[in-house]
Amino acid sequence: MRERIKVLLCDDHTLFREGIKAILKDEPSIEIVGEAADGRQAVAKALQQQPDVVLMDIAMPDLSGFDATRRIIQANAKAKVIILTMYEEEEVINRCLAAGASGYVLKDAPRAHLIHAIDVVNKGGQYMSSRALKKVVKQYVKGGKSTAATGYERLSDREREVLKLLADGLALKDIAVQLVLSVKTVDAHKTNLMRKLDLHDRSELIKYAIQRKLIRLPSS
């Protein structure tokens, strides 16, 4: 009997994780081996549990899905990550692929598509939801270029962390405690990242983070 595909589920919404587990629990070829509610936890659990496939949301607390994916791939080049998201913009798709994702599945996809994507990616292939694939094909037919080399991609790992935490509303001293840095060092990272991104205040930073899908729009 073929070994079951070990899957790590990463999403900050408990109800969504419960829904995915309900969808996959009766699938004999798949086993959910762990869950993560934020990006940093996703990286830690991926390295600890060594799942075959990681299902990764994009806009998560602490560390974005983009950066969590990149860190997982950097630590284990054989890791397979499927982005499971509601976003289908070309720029977002490109950034996920640039981070090393092997799959891109929209959250409104049928159950069978998700199961097929997990199987394909586990075998070393790549999978994209049809709507996402059409966006990418359309871009290249038009002669579009990858958007990977943007201001965000030029930030250091630490600057990306500080950007995400600032956008989440944390004060400098709180970020310093969380990242085990001095407030002066965090402030220096803030100054550098805002200069690189041409941002001038916290409101512009939050707007940038929302536009880049680093955080979700606040609930009304």
Side-chain angles (χ1 to χ4, degrees):
M1 182 177 177
R2 189 177 68 174
E3 290 188 6
R4 301 175 78 184
I5 302 170
K6 296 182 294 184
V7 174
L8 174 65
L9 178 56
C10 308
D11 194 287
D12 62 321
H13 289 123
T14 302
L15 287 178
F16 181 78
R17 295 200 309 273
E18 293 298 323
I20 294 298
K21 287 191 294 182
I23 288 173
L24 300 179
K25 71 175 182 178
D26 295 326
E27 181 58 37
S29 64
I30 296 173
E31 177 186 7
I32 300 290
V33 296
E35 302 175 49
D38 63 60
R40 197 175 302 279
Q41 190 178 64
V43 175
K45 289 201 171 185
L47 300 184
Q48 178 185 17
Q49 299 179 3
Q50 295 292 303
D52 300 310
V53 176
V54 178
L55 297 181
M56 180 73 71
D57 189 21
I58 290 178
M60 292 196 294
D62 200 7
L63 191 68
S64 73
F66 302 112
D67 292 322
T69 295
R70 187 167 51 83
R71 292 189 184 193
I72 290 170
I73 299 299
Q74 285 177 343
N76 178 9
K78 295 181 180 180
K80 305 294 191 301
V81 178
I82 295 176
I83 302 298
L84 188 54
T85 181
M86 68 180 99
Y87 301 121
E88 53 183 288
E89 292 89 345
E90 295 170 15
E91 180 183 356
V92 176
I93 297 169
N94 285 333
R95 290 173 65 198
C96 290
L97 297 178
S102 299
Y104 198 95
V105 177
L106 298 176
K107 286 185 174 181
D108 61 357
R111 171 184 182 275
H113 290 192
L114 176 58
I115 293 172
H116 179 59
I118 292 172
D119 184 57
V120 168
V121 167
N122 180 60
K123 291 177 179 177
Q126 293 187 320
Y127 181 92
M128 294 186 71
S129 288
S130 58
R131 294 205 312 273
L133 181 59
K134 287 178 182 178
K135 297 269 186 173
V136 174
V137 171
K138 182 178 179 181
Q139 178 189 17
Y140 281 96
V141 167
K142 289 182 176 180
K145 297 181 180 180
S146 170
T147 58
T150 63
Y152 182 79
E153 277 64 38
R154 289 193 290 270
L155 298 180
S156 68
D157 285 348
R158 189 63 85 186
E159 287 167 350
R160 293 182 190 187
E161 287 182 303
V162 172
L163 168 62
K164 179 69 170 66
L165 295 172
L166 285 169
D168 283 339
L170 274 67
L172 291 182
K173 63 180 181 180
D174 297 321
I175 296 174
V177 171
Q178 184 161 327
L179 299 181
V180 194
L181 299 171
S182 69
V183 173
K184 183 177 180 180
T185 298
V186 172
D187 190 41
H189 286 311
K190 175 187 174 183
T191 299
N192 289 336
L193 73 87
M194 294 189 76
R195 173 179 53 79
K196 290 179 181 180
L197 299 176
D198 193 27
L199 303 175
H200 305 95
D201 56 37
R202 178 73 72 103
S203 63
E204 287 188 2
L205 186 148
I206 292 174
K207 184 184 297 184
Y208 176 87
I210 291 172
Q211 292 172 340
R212 302 287 294 179
K213 309 300 189 274
L214 301 177
I215 60 174
R216 294 187 178 91
L217 283 167
S219 300
S220 56

